[in-house]
Amino acid sequence: MRLLFLSKALACMTVLGAALLPAAAGAQTTDRALQKKQMAEVVDTKKFKKAGPYTIGVAAGYMSNSWVVFCLQHIRYEASLHKDVKDVIVTDAAFNPSKQVADIEDLVAKNVSLIIYWPVDEKAIQPALEKAVAKGIPTVNAGGGFSYSAGTVSNAFIDQWALGEEGARHFVKDLGGKGKIFAMLPIAGTTAAVDQLAALKAVLKDHPNIELLSAEYGDWNRAKAKQISENLLQRYPKIDGVFSPAGQMSMGVAEAFEDAGRMKGLTMSPGDEYNGWMKWVVKNQKGGAVTFPTRAGQEATKLGLKILAGEPVPRGLVIPSEYIAPKDAAKFAEMNKPDDWWASKLPEQFKPK
Amino acid sequence: MSPAAASAWSSASEALSRWAILCVLAVLYLVAIALSDAFLEPVYVGNILRQAAPVGIAAIGTTLVMILGCIDLSIGAIISFSAVLCAVLMAGDARNVPMAVGLTLAVGAALGAINGLLVVFNRDSSFILTLGSALAIYGLTQIFSGGTARGMVAPDFREFFNHRLGDVLPVLALTLLLLAAAIEALLRTTRFGRQIYLIGSNREAARLSGLPVAGVIFACYVISGGFAALGGIAVLARSGVSSTFTGRGFEFDALAAIVLGGTLFSGGRGTVVGTVAGTLVLFIAFNLVNILGFNYNLQLVLKGAIIVVASAAYARLGRDR
Amino acid sequence: MAVAAAPVAAVQSLAHRAGIYGLLAVVLVAALLFVPGFASPTNLANVVTQSAALGLVAIGQTFVIAGGLIDLSVGQLLGLSVVLSCAISEGRSELLLPVLAAMVALGAAVGVAHGTLVNRFRIEPLILTFGTLSILQGAIFAYTDQSVGRPPAELVWLANGRLLGLPVAGLVLLGFAAFAHLLLRHSRFGLRLLATGGDADSARRAGVDVARVRLFAFVLSGLGATLAGLLVAGRLGTGYPNAGQGFELDAIVAAVLGGASLAGGRGTIAGTVAAVILLGVISNVLNLLEVSAFVQTFAKGLIVVTAIVATRARSGGGPFSARRLPAAGTAGRDAG
């Protein structure tokens, strides 16, 4: 009798599964033209205007990687330059979207003047952000993705597509226009991963002699990137290049190739300005970087304070990425600082311990 | 079944369940070779051993705790903390390495000691107590590191552990094997080892016979903590950078490896050889799935399936005793 | 001395019976008095809303723990429920009841699977549900790696709304808790479950169908997870694949803080709910006090350890006892 129930339940589930397959979301493609239009929209911020002193609330989706730690330090630094900002409160959701929702609610309860955030999952926190906006608390997204929704007043972000594209162009040039490559991308499903891959593919359209063997997801994790690369090295006897815009993953990839003795003749794409990667570039004079500036935090704070002053701001402010050639890497690498570090113009007392 | 046949089957199945994991490992390896030549290459096998080293080393220590019938959920946290601590102490200077490694080991053992004290004085609660201490230690790791991966690994440190002996076996992999051999010897040949098995089988009886139950439990937790610290150092050696969440999930991977290796939750049975074999089974399975081009998600499903099937098999074998 | 011992023992017993309730009372009073912003009705309602989902999962977990089992898969099952309910309904209200039915079926089916595997194959519940945790997680991510779908507006209201000023999620929790309480402590099933958890052998000899009791406990655990998933879907407004991560351990912590013992045979719904609220209050207070997120993790661990040590029953047996972790079958004994 139990088995009957079990099989009925399984049958139900299969039917449901089949029914909702069409509803399954495919990979999102960013409509670049639409996004450019949305970014340029000017927000009327008069309803957010308030007088100081201000308390800035930072709802961090996660604090467990060095990029966001630096981003936060940039926020603190900018806050310190304005005498009407009296406090910065930080909450950490540790990759738990329910917690980020709760954190935002708690910040609202504390009557912060402004909320700067980077999401675990953009959609999951929209309802909570909308409630904040409804209460007159402006919200600014700091980081890697552009959000055009009611819950986000403005964005200070890095254009992942442009980053991917610039990196891909230099990469293709260094490759000489032909060869077999694979892509090492961050966490699957994030704007970064989706846009970087889309940009790479767009650039590859003009170069039919380059074959993309595989797209892998290393989750911004050096050890994981290394493990995946080791397996790819086994699977594919010939690999000419690796597209890896995230420097910490590039390090793992490079190590795997070095270990396997297949470093010679390998072209690495530019990574980002992750310190460990910059040190590697200085040493090996390959690859270079397209920056992923942590000062997004600073720009987000500036945007937020403008909103609080009632000044108009654009919906999206791009923090431009710059290309660093291998020969210039020495200017950016801090050889005596840990690998897990980012080049910045932060004054000494604001740098992480 | 006649009594003679029954007892023959019973001792056969006992032997089978003891060495089942080795059979599974052998079969899996053969399957892997059939599916991909990579597994025949010594360099690749060396890679897998090196990948498995952190989890495997930590699991060796925890095996002792589990033979006792307790559990240690804090090893993931201790691994994270140790990796960060060791990197900070090293500060990029090769001369600091012995001090860094030694001190990290001591701290790991100390954390294990705290776990040991908690468990000794609160019966039946090792699950929840080590869960709580895991949270506390993760928190400490985050506070200490400030969110970034602090510290710098001395350059020669990684080179040493990643160096391949005879161009094949990474030193780290050899470390795993040596540590495993050492603890297995401890379990089999010393009185301490026998006491662990006795206490695991029947704690009340052991206590009544005058065995130093509290002392043994305490000592095993200290060892578990120390080995978790070694696991953290191994992670550092392997990847060169300590992030705050290095060890997350390791405790459950180690647990799976230990259980796959034949250690029972109720205690009294288990071997380090089994644990190492269990670790290898998990890692060969992951890499096999990866190398065949399957999704990461399939790895998860496979991991789960292996655990369920293996446990069922063990339970079946155990039942006939 | 025997004369003095009786009242001392009574006070001790009262003190640790008061255990979680006393702790909750103390923390609540301290928060109301000393934490600015805590006492506001909005904040209090927030705390309840934030705790409701965990409450449902923890109640389900209480049943399995009381039965001497454990269920680690509830977190991923919750995640699966979130993803499926959002993906199926895509915001359409007319699909609310079918989705509800589907999630009930899912929770029950997983529970039946667990119970059957434990009963028939004697697999240790800890390791079994750890295996199914992996399987469920893999299944979720095989289906999608990004957020999908939207919950019907009713679920959003259920998770976030107010009825007569009270948070609806809190009322849902209360209703579920009341039902669970009656089931655990005032029904024959509950009696049998506690007996099985305490000593499966004796229960069996007394005529309890241990296998069926265990199966039903797993079903309740599965239901707690999938129904909680509906609430979380309403809260997030989207089907986030990793939504369930960590729920299983928090639920176990809550159940144990609330008086359940992992060795089985003990547990109360009221205690579990009190523990869930306590955890929610602590998280809220730490946020309001602007305690660094890193310190919060450390504090939570410290609180768990302290609470366990403080509220542990010290009745008989001394520091050591023959019972340890939940065991699926009795050693060597064959049964149905």
mmCIF file of all heavy atoms in Angstrom, chain A residues 11-35:
data_model
loop_
_atom_site.group_PDB
_atom_site.id
_atom_site.type_symbol
_atom_site.label_atom_id
_atom_site.label_comp_id
_atom_site.label_asym_id
_atom_site.label_seq_id
_atom_site.Cartn_x
_atom_site.Cartn_y
_atom_site.Cartn_z
ATOM 1 N N ALA A 11 4.349 9.554 -9.903
ATOM 2 C CA ALA A 11 3.673 9.811 -11.183
ATOM 3 C C ALA A 11 3.222 11.259 -11.248
ATOM 4 O O ALA A 11 3.408 11.937 -12.255
ATOM 5 C CB ALA A 11 2.494 8.864 -11.340
ATOM 6 N N CYS A 12 2.642 11.733 -10.136
ATOM 7 C CA CYS A 12 2.214 13.133 -10.096
ATOM 8 C C CYS A 12 3.365 14.055 -10.402
ATOM 9 O O CYS A 12 3.260 15.000 -11.166
ATOM 10 C CB CYS A 12 1.684 13.489 -8.688
ATOM 11 S SG CYS A 12 0.017 12.945 -8.427
ATOM 12 N N MET A 13 4.491 13.746 -9.738
ATOM 13 C CA MET A 13 5.643 14.623 -9.900
ATOM 14 C C MET A 13 6.139 14.635 -11.344
ATOM 15 O O MET A 13 6.543 15.669 -11.857
ATOM 16 C CB MET A 13 6.778 14.169 -8.984
ATOM 17 C CG MET A 13 6.540 14.568 -7.546
ATOM 18 S SD MET A 13 7.833 13.949 -6.485
ATOM 19 C CE MET A 13 9.246 14.772 -7.154
ATOM 20 N N THR A 14 6.119 13.446 -11.989
ATOM 21 C CA THR A 14 6.584 13.394 -13.372
ATOM 22 C C THR A 14 5.695 14.235 -14.262
ATOM 23 O O THR A 14 6.178 14.976 -15.115
ATOM 24 C CB THR A 14 6.570 11.949 -13.901
ATOM 25 O OG1 THR A 14 6.818 11.078 -12.816
ATOM 26 C CG2 THR A 14 7.605 11.761 -14.978
ATOM 27 N N VAL A 15 4.376 14.113 -14.026
ATOM 28 C CA VAL A 15 3.449 14.892 -14.852
ATOM 29 C C VAL A 15 3.691 16.380 -14.677
ATOM 30 O O VAL A 15 3.779 17.144 -15.627
ATOM 31 C CB VAL A 15 1.985 14.556 -14.474
ATOM 32 C CG1 VAL A 15 1.030 15.537 -15.122
ATOM 33 C CG2 VAL A 15 1.662 13.141 -14.926
ATOM 34 N N LEU A 16 3.842 16.761 -13.391
ATOM 35 C CA LEU A 16 4.089 18.174 -13.116
ATOM 36 C C LEU A 16 5.382 18.624 -13.767
ATOM 37 O O LEU A 16 5.459 19.699 -14.340
ATOM 38 C CB LEU A 16 4.179 18.393 -11.604
ATOM 39 C CG LEU A 16 2.844 18.430 -10.892
ATOM 40 C CD1 LEU A 16 3.056 18.407 -9.397
ATOM 41 C CD2 LEU A 16 2.066 19.680 -11.287
ATOM 42 N N GLY A 17 6.388 17.754 -13.640
ATOM 43 C CA GLY A 17 7.677 18.087 -14.229
ATOM 44 C C GLY A 17 7.548 18.335 -15.723
ATOM 45 O O GLY A 17 8.047 19.318 -16.251
ATOM 46 N N ALA A 18 6.818 17.451 -16.387
ATOM 47 C CA ALA A 18 6.641 17.622 -17.827
ATOM 48 C C ALA A 18 5.876 18.897 -18.135
ATOM 49 O O ALA A 18 6.163 19.595 -19.095
ATOM 50 C CB ALA A 18 5.907 16.410 -18.386
ATOM 51 N N ALA A 19 4.904 19.186 -17.279
ATOM 52 C CA ALA A 19 4.079 20.380 -17.525
ATOM 53 C C ALA A 19 4.882 21.653 -17.411
ATOM 54 O O ALA A 19 4.642 22.607 -18.137
ATOM 55 C CB ALA A 19 2.906 20.401 -16.557
ATOM 56 N N LEU A 20 5.829 21.626 -16.491
ATOM 57 C CA LEU A 20 6.484 22.902 -16.304
ATOM 58 C C LEU A 20 7.787 23.042 -17.063
ATOM 59 O O LEU A 20 8.459 24.050 -16.981
ATOM 60 C CB LEU A 20 6.684 23.199 -14.805
ATOM 61 C CG LEU A 20 7.307 22.141 -13.941
ATOM 62 C CD1 LEU A 20 8.797 22.111 -14.108
ATOM 63 C CD2 LEU A 20 7.003 22.451 -12.497
ATOM 64 N N LEU A 21 8.157 22.026 -17.806
ATOM 65 C CA LEU A 21 9.364 22.138 -18.618
ATOM 66 C C LEU A 21 9.329 23.348 -19.543
ATOM 67 O O LEU A 21 10.311 24.071 -19.649
ATOM 68 C CB LEU A 21 9.554 20.854 -19.432
ATOM 69 C CG LEU A 21 10.920 20.204 -19.232
ATOM 70 C CD1 LEU A 21 11.249 20.081 -17.757
ATOM 71 C CD2 LEU A 21 10.949 18.820 -19.853
ATOM 72 N N PRO A 22 8.181 23.583 -20.216
ATOM 73 C CA PRO A 22 8.137 24.776 -21.083
ATOM 74 C C PRO A 22 8.334 26.062 -20.298
ATOM 75 O O PRO A 22 8.810 27.044 -20.824
ATOM 76 C CB PRO A 22 6.719 24.746 -21.676
ATOM 77 C CG PRO A 22 6.248 23.360 -21.496
ATOM 78 C CD PRO A 22 6.981 22.786 -20.331
ATOM 79 N N ALA A 23 7.981 26.009 -19.021
ATOM 80 C CA ALA A 23 8.105 27.214 -18.225
ATOM 81 C C ALA A 23 9.530 27.444 -17.757
ATOM 82 O O ALA A 23 9.842 28.483 -17.226
ATOM 83 C CB ALA A 23 7.181 27.123 -17.002
ATOM 84 N N ALA A 24 10.368 26.448 -17.983
ATOM 85 C CA ALA A 24 11.747 26.570 -17.486
ATOM 86 C C ALA A 24 12.435 27.757 -18.136
ATOM 87 O O ALA A 24 12.394 27.939 -19.343
ATOM 88 C CB ALA A 24 12.516 25.287 -17.774
ATOM 89 N N ALA A 25 13.065 28.534 -17.346
ATOM 90 C CA ALA A 25 13.711 29.735 -17.885
ATOM 91 C C ALA A 25 14.956 29.366 -18.665
ATOM 92 O O ALA A 25 15.767 28.601 -18.199
ATOM 93 C CB ALA A 25 14.083 30.672 -16.741
ATOM 94 N N GLY A 26 15.077 29.896 -19.815
ATOM 95 C CA GLY A 26 16.307 29.680 -20.574
ATOM 96 C C GLY A 26 17.354 30.670 -20.097
ATOM 97 O O GLY A 26 17.093 31.477 -19.230
ATOM 98 N N ALA A 27 18.531 30.620 -20.663
ATOM 99 C CA ALA A 27 19.578 31.555 -20.256
ATOM 100 C C ALA A 27 19.138 32.967 -20.636
ATOM 101 O O ALA A 27 18.592 33.182 -21.716
ATOM 102 C CB ALA A 27 20.884 31.210 -20.942
ATOM 103 N N GLN A 28 19.396 33.899 -19.736
ATOM 104 C CA GLN A 28 19.004 35.268 -20.057
ATOM 105 C C GLN A 28 20.018 35.891 -20.988
ATOM 106 O O GLN A 28 21.207 35.739 -20.790
ATOM 107 C CB GLN A 28 18.969 36.094 -18.780
ATOM 108 C CG GLN A 28 17.894 35.681 -17.834
ATOM 109 C CD GLN A 28 18.133 36.312 -16.481
ATOM 110 O OE1 GLN A 28 19.195 36.822 -16.212
ATOM 111 N NE2 GLN A 28 17.138 36.260 -15.621
ATOM 112 N N THR A 29 19.546 36.570 -22.012
ATOM 113 C CA THR A 29 20.478 37.334 -22.838
ATOM 114 C C THR A 29 20.180 38.804 -22.576
ATOM 115 O O THR A 29 19.034 39.195 -22.479
ATOM 116 C CB THR A 29 20.280 37.056 -24.330
ATOM 117 O OG1 THR A 29 18.887 37.076 -24.604
ATOM 118 C CG2 THR A 29 20.834 35.707 -24.726
ATOM 119 N N THR A 30 21.236 39.578 -22.430
ATOM 120 C CA THR A 30 20.987 40.981 -22.135
ATOM 121 C C THR A 30 20.767 41.724 -23.430
ATOM 122 O O THR A 30 21.562 41.633 -24.348
ATOM 123 C CB THR A 30 22.169 41.586 -21.393
ATOM 124 O OG1 THR A 30 23.363 41.009 -21.907
ATOM 125 C CG2 THR A 30 22.088 41.310 -19.921
ATOM 126 N N ASP A 31 19.721 42.467 -23.479
ATOM 127 C CA ASP A 31 19.446 43.289 -24.638
ATOM 128 C C ASP A 31 20.229 44.570 -24.448
ATOM 129 O O ASP A 31 19.820 45.448 -23.682
ATOM 130 C CB ASP A 31 17.937 43.547 -24.707
ATOM 131 C CG ASP A 31 17.575 44.328 -25.952
ATOM 132 O OD1 ASP A 31 18.464 44.953 -26.558
ATOM 133 O OD2 ASP A 31 16.387 44.300 -26.305
ATOM 134 N N ARG A 32 21.379 44.697 -25.160
ATOM 135 C CA ARG A 32 22.305 45.779 -24.866
ATOM 136 C C ARG A 32 21.681 47.137 -25.152
ATOM 137 O O ARG A 32 21.878 48.085 -24.397
ATOM 138 C CB ARG A 32 23.570 45.602 -25.734
ATOM 139 C CG ARG A 32 24.280 44.315 -25.465
ATOM 140 C CD ARG A 32 25.138 44.386 -24.243
ATOM 141 N NE ARG A 32 26.160 45.402 -24.356
ATOM 142 C CZ ARG A 32 26.784 45.940 -23.308
ATOM 143 N NH1 ARG A 32 26.448 45.577 -22.106
ATOM 144 N NH2 ARG A 32 27.721 46.831 -23.480
ATOM 145 N N ALA A 33 20.946 47.225 -26.278
ATOM 146 C CA ALA A 33 20.382 48.530 -26.642
ATOM 147 C C ALA A 33 19.386 48.990 -25.601
ATOM 148 O O ALA A 33 19.382 50.158 -25.181
ATOM 149 C CB ALA A 33 19.726 48.407 -28.012
ATOM 150 N N LEU A 34 18.537 48.052 -25.166
ATOM 151 C CA LEU A 34 17.534 48.396 -24.155
ATOM 152 C C LEU A 34 18.210 48.832 -22.877
ATOM 153 O O LEU A 34 17.829 49.816 -22.236
ATOM 154 C CB LEU A 34 16.625 47.182 -23.901
ATOM 155 C CG LEU A 34 15.542 47.400 -22.845
ATOM 156 C CD1 LEU A 34 14.571 48.487 -23.297
ATOM 157 C CD2 LEU A 34 14.778 46.112 -22.584
ATOM 158 N N GLN A 35 19.267 48.081 -22.520
ATOM 159 C CA GLN A 35 19.943 48.392 -21.263
ATOM 160 C C GLN A 35 20.556 49.785 -21.316
ATOM 161 O O GLN A 35 20.472 50.555 -20.352
ATOM 162 C CB GLN A 35 21.028 47.351 -21.003
ATOM 163 C CG GLN A 35 21.465 47.310 -19.555
ATOM 164 C CD GLN A 35 22.550 46.277 -19.301
ATOM 165 O OE1 GLN A 35 23.682 46.436 -19.713
ATOM 166 N NE2 GLN A 35 22.187 45.223 -18.624
#
